[in-house]
Amino acid sequence: MAALDLPLSLLDRSRTRAGEPDALALAATIERARRAEELGYHRFWVAEHHGVPGIASGSPAVLAAAVAARTARIRVGSGGMMLPNHAPLVVAEQFAVLESLHPGRIDLGLGRSLGFSAPVRQALGATDADPERFLADVDAVRAFLAGRGPITAMPRLPAPPPLFLLAGRHGLTLAARAGLPVAVGGAPPDLVETLAAYRRDVRAAGGEPYVIAGVTVMIAETEERARDLLLPEAWAMAASRATGAFPPLEDVDAVRDRPRTPKQRASVERFLAQAVYGTADQVAERLGRLARQGVDEVMATTSTYDRAEQARADAALAGLFTP
C-alpha cells in the first residue's frame, strides 16, 4: 500500500454525546487537536454552529484560541466563520489577535451558511446569504487584515493569515471570483471538471488555486465495522431532517437496529454513500482516487460516538499519508 503524498487535516465539530455535558465536547476537541499534532496532521479546524444540541462549537475564534494554546506546530483555523453572522471588522480583529499570538499557524476559513433554523437566524439577526454581499464582506475582511480598511484593525500584522472559502460545488464559483483557496465539502461526481473550471477561473482572478476536500472518513478492522462507526453521525443527520434538530451522537448499538422510516433509511444511505470507509487498504485506494481528481489536501470531517474508536481511526488515517 503506497502512502498518499498530500497534506492531511482534520475538521472537528465538537460533537456532543448523549448523556455527557456539553463542556466535555469542547475539552475533547482540544485533546483531539493535541493528538492530531503528534500524528503529523497539517491543519486542525473548528466549526461554527449556533443553537444545535449536537454541536458545542458556537464560537470558532474562541475555540481556535484554546486549541492553538495547547498545540505548538499544527495549523489551526476556522471551518469556518460564517460571515452573514459577523461584521467583517470583528472577524478581522479576532483572527489578527490569533495570528499575533500564534504567528504562522492560523487559517481563516470563511463561509456563508445561515443558522440551522429560523429561530437561530432570527437570534443572530442574519437572514441574508446573498452571494454578492458575501463576496463584498470577504473583500472587507481581506482589506482589514492587510491594513487597507477604512479604519485600522488591531493588532496590525506583518502578514495576514491565509483565507479560504468554504464551498459546495456551486460555491466554487465564488471562490474563483474571489481568487481564493477553497475547502469543498464532499466529492461531487464531476469533481475533475468542476475543479478544472475553478483552477482556470481563480488564476484569471489573479489568485493561486488550492483545493481542500472535506471528506467523511472512517477506518476500522473491517468494512462492516467502519460502516457501523459512521451510523451515529448518519442517524443524527437523518433525525435532523425529520425533526429539525441535530441531536447528540448515540452509541452504535443504540442506533444500529433502530427502526427507521423509509425517508430516514434513505438519508442514512445517502450519508454513507458520500463517506469513505473501510479497512486501511480500502480507504487508501479510495482517497487515492480522490487525489487523482485534482485535490491538493484531504480534510477528514468524521465523528463517532466512541472517542477511543475515533482516536484509533485518526491514527490509522494518519498512517496512510506520507509524513
Side-chain angles (χ1 to χ4, degrees), residues 65-80:
V67 168
R70 287 289 303 276
T71 54
R73 298 177 305 279
I74 195 169
R75 298 195 65 86
V76 178
S78 58

Side-chain angles (χ1 to χ4, degrees), residues 29-303:
T29 290
I30 296 170
E31 177 60 20
R32 191 180 186 191
R34 191 192 61 75
R35 289 196 310 269
E37 181 171 79
E38 293 175 352
L39 290 167
Y41 279 82
H42 181 53
R43 308 178 203 274
F44 190 92
W45 284 5
V46 295
E48 176 182 347
H49 295 272
H50 299 278
V52 179
I55 299 177
S57 174
S59 180
V62 174
L63 186 53
V67 168
R70 287 289 303 276
T71 54
R73 298 177 305 279
I74 195 169
R75 298 195 65 86
V76 178
S78 58
M81 291 288 291
M82 298 304 160
L83 271 183
N85 302 335
H86 308 283
L89 173 62
V90 173
V91 174
E93 288 175 333
Q94 289 173 343
F95 279 77
V97 169
L98 286 169
E99 177 65 22
S100 295
L101 294 173
H102 307 283
R105 293 181 54 210
I106 300 301
D107 300 325
L108 174 50
L110 298 170
R112 69 182 185 102
S113 295
L114 295 175
F116 190 72
S117 65
V120 170
R121 293 189 289 273
Q122 291 166 4
L124 290 167
T127 58
D128 180 10
D130 177 72
E132 298 304 322
R133 169 67 182 274
F134 173 69
L135 286 177
D137 284 348
V138 170
D139 284 344
V141 171
R142 296 169 84 174
F144 282 125
L145 285 170
R148 295 184 283 101
I151 66 171
T152 301
M154 297 293 288
R156 288 170 289 187
L157 300 171
L163 268 63
F164 300 78
L165 291 199
L166 276 62
R169 59 188 301 170
H170 301 298
L172 281 164
T173 302
L174 297 180
R177 287 176 58 189
L180 286 174
V182 66
V184 185
D190 59 346
L191 191 62
V192 173
E193 293 81 4
T194 302
L195 293 187
Y198 158 76
R199 291 181 184 280
R200 180 194 65 231
D201 294 344
V202 79
R203 289 191 178 102
E208 187 62 33
Y210 192 84
V211 179
I212 302 174
V215 187
T216 298
V217 186
M218 181 57 69
I219 297 177
E221 59 274 16
T222 66
E223 187 174 23
E224 181 181 15
R225 179 58 179 166
R227 185 183 190 279
D228 279 353
L229 290 173
L230 290 177
L231 285 177
E233 190 76 60
W235 173 257
M237 188 66 70
S240 72
R241 295 182 186 279
T243 66
F246 193 66
L249 294 171
E250 298 179 84
D251 185 82
V252 169
D253 292 335
V255 300
R256 183 191 293 111
D257 300 318
R258 176 175 292 165
R260 303 185 182 102
T261 67
K263 283 187 177 180
Q264 288 170 332
R265 283 198 300 272
S267 179
V268 167
E269 292 306 318
R270 279 195 303 271
F271 179 91
L272 294 171
Q274 295 170 2
V276 175
Y277 63 90
T279 64
D281 285 344
Q282 289 172 321
V283 168
E285 193 275 329
R286 292 164 187 167
L287 289 180
R289 287 203 303 261
L290 185 64
R292 291 190 292 274
Q293 291 179 10
V295 167
D296 298 298
E297 181 176 334
V298 170
M299 180 170 283
T301 63
T302 315
S303 298

